Amino acid sequence: MKKVVKFGGSSLASAEQFQKVGRIIRADAGRRFVVPSAPGKRYDKDIKVTDMLYSCYALAEVGKDFKKELAQIERRYKEIIEGLGLNLSLTEEFQTIAEKFKKNEGRDYAASRGEYLNGLVMAEYLGYEFIDAAEVIFFHENGSFDAEKTERVLAERLEGKEHAVIPGFYGAKEDGTVTTFSRGGSDITGSIVAAAIHADLYENWTDVSGFLITDPRIIINPEVIETITYRELRELSYMGATVLHEDAIFPVRKEGIPINIKNTNAPEDPGTLIVESTCRKPKYTITGIAGKKGFAAINIEKDMMNTEIGFGRKVLGVFEDNGISFEHMPSGIDTMTIFVHQSEFEEKEQKVLAGIHRSVHPDSVELESDLALIAVVGRGMKSNRGVAGRIFSALAHANINIKMIDQGSSELNIIIGVKNEDFEPAIQAIYDIFVVTRL
Ligand code: ASP
């Protein structure tokens, strides 16, 4: 068994957390390649090392003194090193960092040091080889990830190695400039490493026991999803459910490697298994519910719209010209509604309206704001009669008016539009009908 194990910031926030991680790694000989994040929060009001680095560098960038701030970061690592009883000094590393900050080496360089230093500590603690991500993860000149070069170099470098620690979140461009992924990007590094060594499993260790059926801020203690497919996960992540970085699934998905989300603080919990496809019947008809508030709907009416070829294209062209992406487009015979993100739309509202009038001469255009979209996702919905019916009757019982319904022919996803204020009660009603009453 070859496993890549990625540990998130909260799993590595203190010496105690490192010890838990050490026990997890030693408990399974397959856990050979380790991708650490930077130390995260130890308690609610704590600050992540990555954020401390960003603020420290912001001072350096404008020529202000940053000694105190950098010393605070150094102290966090010192506490971990001492707590683990390691014989490791990062003094020289911090001198280099201070010099590079003074020379304005870059924001990405600054942020990347969180993972880099944690990688050094982790390698020392485990007795594994340290591989600097800047030597094996590559970015193009424009900052996008260079998959082709990375795959080649990384596979070559890891070939035949028993163990290694590769820090997450960053890599380098051709000229050596350190570059990071977007926030939470260590998940992507883990996935890239797993793909490069053709791992059997990518374990992603965090502080929750898997992907929850829905948002715990809305439903108290929602159940954990046991198995989810990449496609389902993508639908849910797109609608705001987060555990894993959105882009982390692509490298492993290409290789058919499953991801297991696990909890460092409860390692016995099975967590969530993310797979390409599965015969395992989902526990409930639906796999998950996610959603977002803050949408606006533009409702266009014109008699005989249905006979006017090119009507839809012209309307969407107006949105395109204004750089607004649309989310959904339910339509009737003489009506067409476009759902957009309210924040994106608001500032261009009048331009878009004028554009629609000019290009398609509608009878009327109405706007409605403060809408929410809810995605009910599940491979179990396919060919299963009555799912939509159950959703609608649950919402009717909860006195919630449905503004929009959208279901693709893949039957993986039903999207429902409601008013912002109905968002939480709607999720509660759907959760109750499928999970609590197990329909
Ligand atoms: N440390 C980085 C962040 O806070 C990357 C990561 O944790 O994945 O975003």
Side-chain angles (χ1 to χ4, degrees):
M1 265 292 218
K2 255 194 303 192
K3 294 183 186 174
V4 170
V5 285
K6 179 260 168 180
F7 291 90
S10 58
S11 303
L12 301 167
S14 64
E16 291 72 46
Q17 290 300 88
F18 257 81
Q19 277 158 347
K20 286 186 198 167
V21 167
R23 281 195 290 275
I24 290 166
I25 294 172
R26 290 186 199 105
D28 181 343
R31 294 180 177 139
R32 292 170 36 193
F33 298 91
V34 182
V35 175
S37 282
K41 292 183 183 190
R42 293 159 294 183
Y43 42 87
D44 207 27
K45 294 257 148 53
D46 201 10
I47 304 172
K48 285 174 154 202
V49 163
T50 309
D51 291 311
M52 294 169 85
L53 284 160
Y54 278 127
S55 330
C56 183
Y57 188 72
L59 295 173
E61 242 181 342
V62 292
K64 284 200 183 139
D65 183 45
F66 57 84
K67 256 196 245 97
K68 199 176 93 226
E69 286 71 15
L70 195 60
Q72 265 168 7
I73 299 169
E74 191 167 359
R75 218 168 303 131
R76 287 218 43 188
Y77 285 98
K78 231 185 181 147
E79 267 175 40
I80 295 173
I81 292 169
E82 281 169 8
L84 295 173
L86 298 179
N87 187 11
L88 174 70
S89 163
L90 295 179
T91 312
E92 271 181 36
E93 294 290 350
F94 272 95
Q95 272 163 10
T96 310
I97 293 171
E99 278 160 29
K100 296 222 173 180
F101 273 32
K102 268 189 213 132
K103 284 195 215 137
N104 284 353
E105 186 81 7
R107 221 172 104 79
D108 282 11
Y109 166 81
S112 76
R113 295 306 88 184
E115 271 69 12
Y116 169 79
L117 295 167
N118 230 17
L120 291 176
V121 178
M122 179 66 95
E124 180 70 21
Y125 177 53
L126 296 171
Y128 285 10
E129 180 183 343
F130 172 80
I131 297 180
D132 188 351
E135 294 167 15
V136 287
I137 306 276
F138 297 99
F139 290 86
H140 293 291
E141 218 19 70
N142 66 5
S144 65
F145 172 56
D146 184 344
E148 194 265 320
K149 184 172 177 194
T150 301
E151 248 170 69
R152 186 166 35 82
V153 176
L154 191 57
E156 222 174 81
R157 186 76 184 266
L158 296 180
E159 169 90 51
K161 287 217 189 309
E162 240 347 270
H163 300 286
V165 172
I166 305 129
F169 191 39
Y170 72 95
K173 291 183 184 163
E174 185 82 28
D175 65 359
T177 312
V178 170
T179 307
T180 66
F181 292 108
S182 57
R183 295 301 302 266
S186 298
D187 286 340
I188 310 174
T189 311
S191 181
I192 293 166
V193 175
I197 63 157
H198 305 294
D200 299 291
L201 183 65
Y202 169 30
E203 284 183 345
N204 190 294
W205 292 82
T206 170
D207 54 5
V208 286
S209 288
F211 210 91
L212 302 172
I213 291 184
T214 192
D215 190 336
R217 286 166 300 186
I218 300 174
I219 306 286
I220 304 165
N221 269 332
E223 281 192 42
V224 169
I225 300 171
E226 292 171 359
T227 312
I228 186 170
T229 63
Y230 291 131
R231 284 175 64 206
E232 289 172 314
L233 180 73
R234 194 132 166 77
E235 300 279 357
L236 289 170
S237 320
Y238 183 70
M239 286 302 264
T242 52
V243 167
L244 200 66
H245 192 294
E246 249 195 286
D247 296 341
I249 60 171
F250 298 111
V252 279
R253 186 177 185 175
K254 241 175 53 198
E255 298 287 326
I257 302 166
I259 308 174
N260 196 181
I261 308 276
K262 296 275 285 175
N263 188 350
T264 300
N265 304 317
E268 303 308 324
D269 288 353
T272 299
L273 196 63
I274 308 165
V275 293
E276 173 69 49
S277 73
T278 175
C279 302
R280 284 198 215 180
K281 280 250 165 330
K283 194 163 165 196
Y284 306 106
T285 310
I286 60 157
T287 303
I289 314 163
K292 279 186 192 165
K293 288 183 182 177
F295 290 92
I298 299 98
N299 195 355
I300 304 160
E301 278 196 45
K302 185 176 185 188
D303 280 347
M304 306 292 285
M305 178 192 285
N306 62 324
T307 58
E308 209 178 307
I309 292 174
F311 189 93
R313 181 184 51 76
K314 285 181 209 151
V315 171
L316 292 182
V318 175
F319 287 87
E320 185 181 346
D321 292 344
N322 284 284
I324 298 171
S325 67
F326 78 98
E327 291 294 310
H328 291 280
M329 193 185 60
S331 60
I333 302 172
D334 296 328
T335 64
M336 177 175 171
T337 308
I338 317 276
F339 275 74
V340 292
H341 284 278
Q342 199 164 323
S343 54
E344 256 180 53
F345 177 68
E346 257 164 11
E347 46 192 272
K348 306 208 176 124
E349 179 189 271
Q350 296 308 319
K351 269 178 87 182
V352 172
L353 291 187
I356 293 173
H357 278 284
R358 224 173 298 129
S359 59
V360 294
H361 311 290
D363 296 336
S364 73
V365 181
E366 270 171 36
L367 299 183
E368 183 162 3
S369 55
D370 301 322
L371 298 173
L373 292 178
I374 298 169
V376 185
V377 175
R379 61 191 185 280
M381 302 195 308
K382 198 171 170 85
S383 321
N384 193 340
R385 271 167 300 154
V387 179
R390 264 176 258 149
I391 297 175
F392 303 144
S393 68
L395 294 177
H397 274 112
N399 257 324
I400 294 164
N401 179 35
I402 300 172
K403 293 260 159 202
M404 194 256 331
I405 307 155
D406 197 352
Q407 180 189 332
S409 57
S410 68
E411 295 183 59
L412 186 71
N413 202 352
I414 296 179
I415 309 271
I416 297 149
V418 296
K419 277 190 167 325
N420 270 351
E421 68 215 44
D422 287 335
F423 180 66
E424 288 87 1
I427 290 185
Q428 179 80 57
I430 299 167
Y431 184 83
D432 285 350
I433 197 80
F434 287 102
V435 181
V436 180
T437 55
R438 291 173 179 268
L439 267 172

